[in-house]
C-alpha cells in the first residue's frame, strides 16, 4: 500500500513537473515566433509593405490629376480612375478638385475619386483673368501645403484627367532621378527657343519642351511648384507675347501659358528632364513597333473607320449622373483586324478602340455601383463585361520582345559631341544596343561647350552625361576633338557614383550585334580586353621609349575596351595626360614613327591610351573576334561593326565622312541610300565575299532602321515614298573630316574576323525582326529571407520537435496517473491546437 502511495506521489510530482515544463516551452515558442516576426519585419524594407503587409513598390508613389466641378471632368474622372485600378499603378491616386464654394454646394461627384478640394483660380482672385488651366499648378501647390499624404511620398506622377493608364508608370522603370524628372516631348513649345524664354527665366538654356505627364521626386516638386504657379501667372499676363510666332499657340490667346509656366519654372530651379517619347501616345497616332505605350492622352480627336470621337463634343454631356449612358461604341477589334491590312495602322486603331472601351467600362461599373437599373444586355455590353480588356491588349506584333537584362556589374560608355554628325551615330548605336540585349546601362559622354549646349537639340537621344568640351585645348589652343574621349571618361569617373564592376567603352560609329559580357571575353581585374590595332607601330620604336617608363607593356589595341572599373580609375588620368603629351610631340608625328599616314598626330589619343596603360602595367587580351570593319572579309562572327572606314557593295558605297554636315535626326524621314539586295550580287562571289557584303548591308540597314524608328518617335506621321538621299558634296578636310578608306588602310590594319555563311544567314533572319522595345531598368526584390531568419526558423523547428516529444510523454504519464487514481473514470484526451505559420517568400519582380 505504501509502495502504491509513493508511486502515485512520484507520478503526481512528475506530472506537475512536466506540466510546468510544457508551459515554459510554450512561452519559449511564443518568444521565438515573436522574434521571427521581428526579423522578418527588419528583413523587408518598410517601403515594400502596404498597410495590409503585402509587397508594394520599392518607393512611395502618389498620382495626382486636376479637374473642376463640372460634368465634363466627371466622365473623365471615371475613365482615369477605372484605368488606374486596372493598370495596378502603385500608390494612391488623388483628384485635385478646383471649385468655388457656390459650385461645391451643388456638386454631385464627390464620390468619384479620392479628392483634395482646392480653391478655384479659374477666375484669378487678383487680375480677374479667366484661365482655368492655372488650377493645375495651383492645385499641386495647395496639395503640397495642406495634405498629409504629401508628407509620406517619394515620387509624384502628375497626369491630366483626359488620360488612360495602360500599365504602371514608375520612376525605377523610366530612369527618373532626383533632379531629373521624366516627361513627354511637347515639341511645339517654341517659346523655349526664342525671346519668350529670355524674358521669363534666368536660365533659358535649361528650358525643356515637355508636358503630358510629369514624374518627379517630391523634393524637386516642393522647390519647383511655387515657381510653376508664379511663372504661369507671369506668362499669362504677358499679352504682348501671346502670338503664334512666340508661343506656337495656334489660337494666340495664351491658352498654353501653364505649359510655359511649367518649363520656365523648372528652368529656374535647374531641373533637366529625361524626355521619353514612348510612354505616352495620342489615340490615332501610330505607336512605335513593339513598344507598348503606358499612357493614352485623348486630348485630340481620333477615329477608326467611320467611327470618331472628340472629347470637346461632350463638354456638357452628363454621362456619369444619368443612368446607363455610355459613349457610342467603337468597332469591335476583330472587325478591324479583318478590314485593316496596314499593320501599323491596325495597332493605332486597336489602341483607339481600347481607349474608348476603357472609358465605357468605367461608366458601366459606375452606373451599376450607384443603383442604376440593369442595362440592356446588348452585344457591346457583353463585350465590355467579358473580354474588352483582353482583346484590346492583343496588339499584333512581329515578335514578342525578349526580357531586357540589367546586370549592375556592367556599364557601357561612348563619347560624342553635340553635332548632327554624332547624333545620327548615337541613334544607330542606341538602337543596336537595345536590339543586342546588352546587359547593364549605357551612357553617352557628351562633350559640349556652354554655347553649343544652349542650342543643342539631341539631349533625348541617349542617357547622357555632359562634359566640358576639350576640342579646343583650354591651355594650348590645339584643335584636337579626339582628346574628348579620355577627358570625358575621367570627368564621368569623377562626377558619377558608379556601381558597375566592368566598363565597356565604345565609339559612336559602332553597331552592336550581340551582348558583350566581360567575363566571357576573359576580362578580369588587371587584364583588359580590346581589339588588335597592329598599325600602332609606335609601341615598337622610339615613341614608346620616350613616352612611357614601361615600353615593353605597350599594347597595340583600340576600338573597343572592356576594363575593370578599378583599372579604369587608375588608367584614366594617365590616358588623358599621355594623349596631351603625344599630341604635343610634333617631332614624332611622322608615319614611320606613328603609322599615321597623314602625319598630323591624329591618332595621339590611341597612343595616349597605350602609353597610359603601360604606365600602370595594365595587361591586355587582344580579341580578334569582337570587332570588325564592314568591307573586310570576316572569319568569325563579330559582336561589333565599326563603320569608321569607307566600304562598298558593288557600285554602292558608304562613307560616314560624307554625312558630316547632314542633319539626319531633326529632319523627318532622312535615311541613308539603301544598300543593294543580296539577290542582285554577282553569283560568282566567293562565300567569304558574300559574308563581307552581308555584313556591310546589315550595318547600313541597321542605321536606317534606327533612323526610321527615331522619326516615328519624334511624331513624323506618315513616311513619304522613300527616295534615296545623296550625300552632300562638301570638300573633305584631310585632318578634320576625311577618314582613311579601306584601300589605304589594308597595309596598316590587321585582317579582321569573319562570319560563316550559315551564321550570317541566321543573323539576317534575326535582323529582319529586329523591332523590339526600349530597354527598361529592372528593380531587385529585397532579400526577404536572410541568415538571421533561417537561424530563427531552425530553432523554431527544433523547439516544435521537442514540444511534440514532450507532449507525448506528458500525455502518457498523465494517463497512467489518472488510471492509478481513478481506474473507473473515463479517459480524457487533451489536444493542443497548433496554428499554421507561413513564411513570407518573395517572388521575382517581372520587368
Amino acid at each position: 500500500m505504501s509502495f502504491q502511495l509513493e508511486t502515485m506521489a512520484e507520478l503526481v510530482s512528475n506530472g506537475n513537473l512536466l506540466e510546468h515544463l510544457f508551459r515554459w516551452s510554450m512561452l519559449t515558442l511564443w518568444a521565438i515566433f515573436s522574434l521571427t516576426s521581428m526579423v522578418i519585419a527588419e528583413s523587408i524594407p518598410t517601403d515594400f509593405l502596404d498597410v495590409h503587409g503585402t509587397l508594394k513598390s520599392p518607393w512611395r508613389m502618389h498620382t495626382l490629376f486636376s479637374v473642376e466641378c463640372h460634368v465634363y471632368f466627371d466622365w473623365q474622372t471615371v475613365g482615369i480612375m477605372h484605368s488606374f485600378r486596372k493598370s495596378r499603378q502603385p500608390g494612391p491616386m488623388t483628384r485635385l478638385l478646383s471649385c468655388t464654394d457656390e459650385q461645391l454646394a451643388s456638386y454631385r461627384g464627390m464620390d468619384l475619386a479620392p479628392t483634395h478640394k482646392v480653391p478655384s483660380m479659374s477666375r484669378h482672385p487678383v487680375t480677374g483673368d479667366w484661365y482655368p488651366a492655372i488650377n493645375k499648378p495651383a492645385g499641386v501647390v495647395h496639395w503640397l501645403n495642406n495634405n498629409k499624404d504629401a508628407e509620406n511620398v517619394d515620387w509624384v506622377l502628375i497626369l491630366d484627367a483626359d488620360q488612360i493608364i495602360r500599365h504602371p508608370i514608375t520612376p525605377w522603370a523610366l530612369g527618373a532621378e532626383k533632379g531629373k524628372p521624366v516627361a513627354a516631348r511637347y515639341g511645339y513649345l517654341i517659346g523655349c527657343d526664342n525671346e519668350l524664354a529670355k524674358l521669363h527665366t534666368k536660365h533659358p538654356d535649361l528650358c525643356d519642351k515637355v508636358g503630358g505627364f510629369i514624374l518627379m521626386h517630391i523634393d524637386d516638386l516642393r522647390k519647383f511648384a511655387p515657381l510653376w504657379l508664379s511663372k504661369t501667372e507671369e506668362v499669362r499676363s504677358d499679352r504682348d507675347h501671346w502670338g503664334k510666332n512666340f508661343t506656337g499657340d495656334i489660337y494666340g490667346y495664351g491658352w498654353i501659358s501653364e505649359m510655359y509656366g511649367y518649363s520656365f519654372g523648372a528652368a529656374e530651379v535647374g531641373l533637366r528632364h529625361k524626355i521619353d517619347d514612348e510612354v505616352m501616345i495620342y489615340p490615332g497616332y501610330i505607336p512605335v513597333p513593339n513598344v507598348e505605350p503606358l499612357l493614352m492622352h485623348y486630348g485630340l480627336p481620333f477615329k477608326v473607320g467611320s467611327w470618331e470621337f472628340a472629347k470637346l463634343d461632350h463638354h456638357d454631356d452628363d454621362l456619369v449622373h444619368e443612368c446607363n449612358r455610355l459613349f457610342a461604341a467603337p468597332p469591335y477589334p476583330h472587325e478591324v483586324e479583318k478590314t485593316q491590312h496596314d499593320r501599323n495602322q491596325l495597332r493605332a486603331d486597336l489602341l483607339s478602340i481600347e481607349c474608348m472601351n476603357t472609358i465605357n467600362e468605367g461608366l458601366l461599373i459606375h452606373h451599376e455601383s450607384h443603383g442604376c437599373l440593369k442595362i440592356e444586355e446588348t452585344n457591346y455590353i457583353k463585350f465590355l463585361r467579358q473580354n474588352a480588356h483582353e482583346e484590346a491588349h492583343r496588339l499584333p506584333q512581329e515578335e514578342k520582345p525578349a526580357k531586357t537584362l540589367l546586370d549592375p556589374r556592367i556599364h557601357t560608355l561612348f563619347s560624342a559631341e553635340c553635332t548632327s554628325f554624332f547624333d545620327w551615330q548615337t541613334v544607330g548605336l542606341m538602337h543596336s544596343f537595345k536590339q543586342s540585349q546588352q546587359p547593364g546601362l549605357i551612357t553617352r559622354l557628351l562633350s559640349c561647350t556652354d554655347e553649343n549646349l544652349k542650342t543643342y537639340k539631341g539631349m533625348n537621344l541617349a542617357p547622357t552625361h555632359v562634359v566640358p568640351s576639350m576640342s579646343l585645348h583650354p591651355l594650348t589652343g590645339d584643335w584636337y576633338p579626339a582628346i574628348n574621349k579620355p577627358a570625358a571618361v575621367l570627368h564621368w569617373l569623377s562626377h558619377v557614383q558608379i556601381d558597375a564592376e566592368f566598363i565597356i567603352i565604345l565609339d559612336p560609329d559602332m553597331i552592336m550585334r550581340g551582348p558583350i559580357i566581360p567575363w566571357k571575353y576573359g576580362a578580369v581585374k588587371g587584364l583588359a580586353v580590346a581589339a588588335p590595332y597592329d598599325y600602332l607601330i609606335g609601341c615598337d620604336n622610339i615613341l614608346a621609349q620616350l613616352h612611357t617608363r614601361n615600353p615593353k607593356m605597350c599594347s597595340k589595341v583600340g576600338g573597343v575596351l572592356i576594363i575593370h572599373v578599378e583599372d579604369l580609375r587608375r588608367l584614366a588620368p594617365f590616358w588623358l595626360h599621355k594623349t596631351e603629351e603625344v599630341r604635343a610631340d610634333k617631332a614624332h608625328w611622322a608615319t614611320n614613327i606613328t603609322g599615321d599616314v597623314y602625319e598630323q598626330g591624329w591618332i595621339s589619343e590611341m597612343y595616349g591610351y597605350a602609353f597610359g596603360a603601360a604606365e600602370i602595367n595594365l595587361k591586355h587580351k587582344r580579341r580578334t573576334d569582337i570587332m570588325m570593319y564592314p568591307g573586310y572579309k570576316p572569319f568569325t562572327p563579330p559582336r561589333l561593326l565599326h563603320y569608321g572606314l569607307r566600304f562598298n557593295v558593288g557600285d554602292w558605297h558608304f562613307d560616314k565622312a560624307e554625312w558630316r554636315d547632314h542633319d539626319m535626326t531633326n529632319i523627318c524621314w532622312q535615311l541613308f541610300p539603301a544598300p543593294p539586295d543580296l539577290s542582285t550580287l554577282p553569283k560568282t562571289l566567293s562565300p567569304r565575299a558574300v559574308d563581307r557584303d552581308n555584313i556591310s548591308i546589315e550595318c547600313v540597314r541597321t542605321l536606317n532602321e534606327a533612323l526610321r524608328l527615331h522619326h516615328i518617335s519624334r511624331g513624323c506621321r506618315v513616311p513619304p515614298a522613300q527616295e534615296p538621299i545623296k550625300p552632300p558634296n562638301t570638300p573633305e578636310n584631310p585632318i578634320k573630316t576625311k577618314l582613311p578608306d579601306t584601300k589605304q588602310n589594308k597595309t596598316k590594319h590587321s585582317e579582321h574576323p569573319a562570319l560563316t555563311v550559315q551564321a550570317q544567314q541566321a543573323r539576317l533572319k534575326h535582323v529582319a525582326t529586329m523591332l523590339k522595345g526600349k530597354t527598361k531598368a529592372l528593380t531587385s526584390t529585397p532579400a526577404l529571407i536572410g541568415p538571421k531568419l533561417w537561424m530563427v526558423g531552425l530553432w523554431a523547428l527544433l523547439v516544435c520537435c521537442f514540444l511534440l516529444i514532450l507532449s507525448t510523454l506528458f500525455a502518457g504519464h498523465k494517463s497512467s496517473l489518472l488510471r492509478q487514481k481513478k481506474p473507473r473514470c473515463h479517459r480524457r484526451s487533451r489536444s493542443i491546437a497548433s496554428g499554421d505559420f507561413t513564411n513570407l517568400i518573395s517572388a521575382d519582380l517581372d520587368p
Side-chain angles (χ1 to χ4, degrees):
M1 184 67 177
S2 62
F3 174 76
Q4 291 179 346
L5 290 175
E6 289 176 3
T7 302
M8 290 177 64
E10 183 180 353
L11 289 172
V12 170
S13 176
N14 289 339
N16 290 336
L17 177 61
L18 289 172
E19 187 169 1
H20 283 298
L21 191 56
F22 176 76
R23 289 175 179 173
W24 277 106
S25 299
M26 289 299 293
L27 289 174
T28 303
L29 183 61
W30 173 83
I32 287 176
F33 277 106
S34 298
L35 179 60
T36 302
S37 301
M38 292 172 62
V39 172
I40 292 176
E42 291 177 0
S43 301
I44 306 174
T46 55
D47 286 351
F48 276 79
L49 297 177
D50 63 16
V51 293
H52 303 292
T54 57
L55 288 175
K56 68 177 184 66
S57 57
W59 287 307
R60 299 168 297 177
M61 286 198 65
H62 203 113
T63 304
L64 304 175
F65 69 101
S66 176
V67 298
E68 301 167 44
C69 290
H70 193 275
V71 293
Y72 176 59
F73 290 100
D74 284 355
W75 61 259
Q76 296 179 41
T77 296
V78 169
I80 194 173
M81 286 303 302
H82 178 59
S83 71
F84 172 80
R85 290 185 285 265
K86 283 177 62 175
S87 67
R88 298 184 179 180
Q89 171 71 17
M93 188 178 213
T94 296
R95 171 179 62 165
L96 306 178
L97 183 65
S98 300
C99 278
T100 64
D101 293 339
E102 183 180 0
Q103 290 172 328
L104 198 59
S106 59
Y107 181 60
R108 297 172 291 168
M110 286 302 297
D111 63 334
L112 298 180
T115 299
H116 176 79
K117 291 180 287 186
V118 179
S120 175
M121 282 187 64
S122 297
R123 179 74 65 186
H124 197 281
V126 177
T127 65
D129 178 39
W130 175 258
Y131 184 55
I134 202 173
N135 285 314
K136 187 175 182 179
V140 171
V141 171
H142 194 275
W143 178 80
L144 287 170
N145 294 332
N146 297 278
N147 196 302
K148 291 184 179 180
D149 289 341
E151 301 172 4
N152 189 38
V153 65
D154 298 312
W155 292 93
V156 178
L157 173 65
I158 303 176
L159 303 177
D160 291 333
D162 57 344
Q163 294 180 336
I164 295 296
I165 309 172
R166 302 183 70 242
H167 302 289
I169 303 171
T170 57
W172 49 94
L174 301 186
E177 304 174 39
K178 190 173 180 180
K180 291 185 179 180
V182 178
R185 181 194 308 278
Y186 271 17
Y188 61 85
L189 296 178
I190 61 174
C192 280
D193 300 327
N194 57 38
E195 182 180 347
L196 195 66
K198 297 176 183 178
L199 287 171
H200 296 290
T201 174
K202 299 174 184 177
H203 308 287
D205 54 308
L206 300 182
C207 184
D208 290 329
K209 302 174 185 178
V210 293
F213 74 95
I214 306 298
L215 185 57
M216 182 179 290
H217 195 276
I218 186 67
D219 292 344
D220 295 330
L221 188 61
R222 289 190 185 281
K223 292 187 298 182
F224 152 73
L227 283 168
W228 183 7
L229 177 58
S230 64
K231 291 295 178 182
T232 298
E233 295 173 312
E234 187 179 310
V235 176
R236 178 67 180 171
S237 63
D238 185 7
R239 293 175 177 266
D240 293 338
H241 294 91
W242 277 7
K244 180 181 177 181
N245 58 323
F246 290 111
T247 65
D249 181 358
I250 58 175
Y251 301 107
Y253 291 110
W255 199 249
I256 58 176
S257 299
E258 175 271 319
M259 298 181 186
Y260 281 113
Y262 178 90
S263 293
F264 297 158
E268 285 293 282
V269 296
L271 293 180
R272 295 312 305 263
H273 291 78
K274 292 187 175 182
I275 302 176
D276 197 306
D277 293 321
E278 297 178 355
V279 170
M280 189 185 80
I281 191 171
Y282 286 88
Y285 281 61
I286 294 177
V288 176
N290 285 313
V291 171
E292 286 282 351
L294 308 182
L295 188 68
M296 287 190 286
H297 190 179
Y298 55 93
L300 302 176
F302 58 96
K303 63 179 181 178
V304 179
S306 59
W307 175 91
E308 58 184 359
F309 177 81
K311 70 170 188 174
L312 290 176
D313 293 342
H314 304 276
H315 187 271
D316 297 315
D317 284 359
D318 192 357
L319 288 96
V320 172
H321 306 292
E322 296 181 14
C323 276
N324 297 331
R325 283 200 60 191
L326 305 178
F327 290 107
Y332 292 102
H334 66 270
E335 294 175 345
V336 178
E337 288 174 350
K338 291 179 181 179
T339 58
Q340 181 56 260
H341 301 296
D342 185 325
R343 195 172 193 84
N344 291 326
Q345 188 59 52
L346 175 58
R347 285 171 48 83
D349 289 346
L350 291 178
L351 285 172
S352 298
I353 293 170
E354 178 190 338
C355 179
M356 183 48 59
N357 285 340
T358 303
I359 299 174
N360 276 343
E361 285 174 8
L363 289 169
L364 182 63
I365 294 171
H366 170 78
H367 292 316
E368 289 179 346
S369 64
H370 283 70
C372 292
L373 295 176
K374 188 175 182 180
I375 193 171
E376 180 184 355
E377 287 286 327
T378 63
N379 289 334
Y380 180 62
I381 298 301
K382 292 178 182 178
F383 170 79
L384 287 181
R385 293 187 192 281
Q386 295 173 3
N387 60 2
H389 181 70
E390 290 77 8
E391 285 212 24
H393 280 71
R394 186 165 51 84
L395 298 183
Q397 308 238 340
E398 295 292 340
E399 179 181 344
K400 185 177 180 181
K403 290 183 178 180
T404 55
L405 302 175
L406 174 64
D407 193 320
R409 294 180 292 173
I410 305 174
H411 200 120
T412 303
L413 300 176
F414 69 99
S415 61
E417 300 168 44
C418 45
T419 66
S420 59
F421 181 57
F422 286 96
D423 283 357
W424 63 258
Q425 297 177 42
T426 297
V427 169
L429 178 56
M430 287 301 301
H431 173 70
S432 68
F433 176 86
K434 298 170 186 176
Q435 308 310 313
S436 69
Q437 293 297 301
Q438 171 68 20
L441 303 176
I442 187 169
T443 297
R444 172 180 59 166
L445 306 179
L446 185 66
S447 300
C448 266
T449 63
D450 293 339
E451 184 179 358
N452 289 338
L453 196 60
K454 293 177 182 178
T455 58
Y456 181 59
K457 301 177 181 179
M459 285 301 296
N460 65 307
L461 297 180
T464 299
H465 175 76
V466 178
V467 299
S469 175
M470 283 189 64
S471 296
L472 188 66
H473 198 283
L475 297 179
T476 66
D478 178 41
W479 175 259
Y480 184 54
I483 201 174
N484 284 315
K485 187 174 182 178
V489 170
L490 182 58
H491 190 277
W492 181 75
L493 289 169
S494 304
H495 291 80
V496 174
Q497 184 175 354
I498 304 166
D499 297 326
E501 181 181 356
F502 287 96
I503 309 299
I504 300 173
I505 302 177
L506 307 177
D507 289 333
D509 57 344
M510 289 181 173
I511 295 295
M512 299 186 70
R513 306 177 73 245
I516 299 173
I517 312 300
W519 40 93
K520 290 186 178 180
Y521 280 93
V524 294
K525 187 176 181 180
L527 180 62
V529 175
Y533 269 20
D534 288 330
Y535 65 86
L536 296 178
I537 60 175
C539 279
D540 302 327
N541 57 38
I542 190 175
L543 197 66
Q545 297 171 12
L546 287 171
H547 295 291
T548 174
R549 293 169 295 178
N550 305 308
K552 292 183 179 180
M553 290 296 298
C554 184
S555 298
K556 301 176 184 178
V557 293
V560 55
L561 174 65
I562 308 173
I563 186 171
H564 194 279
V565 67
E566 294 303 322
D567 293 330
L568 186 60
R569 289 188 190 279
R570 293 190 299 128
L571 167 67
F574 286 101
W575 185 2
L576 176 59
H577 171 63
K578 291 296 179 181
T579 297
E580 295 173 312
E581 187 178 305
V582 176
R583 178 69 178 170
D585 184 8
K586 294 186 178 183
H588 294 92
W589 277 6
T591 302
N592 63 321
I593 296 176
T594 64
D596 180 1
V597 296
Y598 298 110
E599 299 187 352
Q600 297 291 334
W602 200 246
I603 58 176
S604 299
E605 175 271 319
M606 298 181 187
Y607 281 114
Y609 175 84
F611 297 156
E615 285 293 285
I616 64 171
N617 291 307
L618 179 64
K619 298 180 181 179
H620 290 81
K621 177 177 285 189
R622 290 158 43 104
R623 292 293 297 254
T624 59
D625 58 342
I626 195 171
M627 187 194 83
M628 72 165 286
Y629 288 86
Y632 283 80
K633 293 180 180 180
F635 289 98
T636 57
R639 288 298 169 95
L640 284 168
L641 301 181
H642 190 357
Y643 55 90
L645 305 177
R646 175 189 171 109
F647 57 93
N648 63 281
V649 178
D651 294 333
W652 173 93
H653 78 276
F654 181 83
D655 186 344
K656 73 169 189 177
E658 294 178 349
W659 302 89
R660 177 171 293 276
D661 299 316
H662 201 91
D663 191 350
M664 303 294 293
T665 57
N666 295 309
I667 302 174
C668 279
W669 306 118
Q670 297 295 294
L671 301 177
F672 296 110
D677 191 85
L678 286 175
S679 61
T680 64
L681 300 181
K683 305 298 182 183
T684 57
L685 288 176
S686 66
R688 286 188 60 207
V690 172
D691 288 345
R692 174 200 63 202
D693 291 345
N694 280 345
I695 286 181
S696 298
I697 292 170
E698 175 191 335
C699 180
V700 177
R701 283 183 176 173
T702 303
L703 285 172
N704 275 341
E705 178 62 15
L707 286 170
R708 189 183 71 83
L709 294 176
H710 168 73
H711 293 313
I712 291 175
S713 70
R714 289 181 60 242
C716 299
R717 292 299 298 271
V718 180
Q722 294 300 317
E723 297 181 359
I725 308 169
K726 295 182 179 180
N729 295 320
T730 56
E732 296 178 344
N733 185 315
I735 299 177
K736 298 182 180 179
T737 63
K738 187 173 180 179
L739 295 176
D741 62 23
T742 304
K743 293 181 180 179
Q744 288 173 318
N745 282 274
K746 283 185 178 178
T747 59
K748 67 175 184 175
H749 285 282
S750 62
E751 192 71 20
H752 288 278
L755 283 170
T756 63
V757 177
Q758 295 82 2
Q760 179 60 8
Q761 288 174 345
R763 176 63 185 172
L764 287 175
K765 291 180 181 178
H766 174 66
V767 172
T769 58
M770 285 173 66
L771 298 175
K772 298 184 179 179
K774 63 183 289 187
T775 303
K776 297 180 183 292
L778 308 180
T779 53
S780 302
T781 308
L784 302 181
I785 303 179
K788 291 183 180 180
L789 185 56
W790 284 115
M791 186 177 297
V792 173
L794 180 61
W795 275 105
L797 180 61
L798 293 175
V799 171
C800 288
C801 294
F802 170 72
L803 290 177
L804 181 62
I805 297 171
L806 196 61
S807 63
T808 303
L809 293 174
F810 174 69
H813 283 295
K814 201 73 173 177
S815 299
S816 280
L817 181 60
L818 291 174
R819 283 196 299 271
Q820 291 286 343
K821 293 177 67 177
K822 298 180 181 179
R824 294 185 179 181
C825 66
H826 294 287
R827 183 173 58 186
R828 295 181 298 170
S829 63
R830 185 178 297 176
S831 63
I832 302 173
S834 62
D836 294 330
F837 297 92
T838 305
N839 288 329
L840 177 63
I841 301 178
S842 65
D844 289 337
L845 293 176
D846 192 25

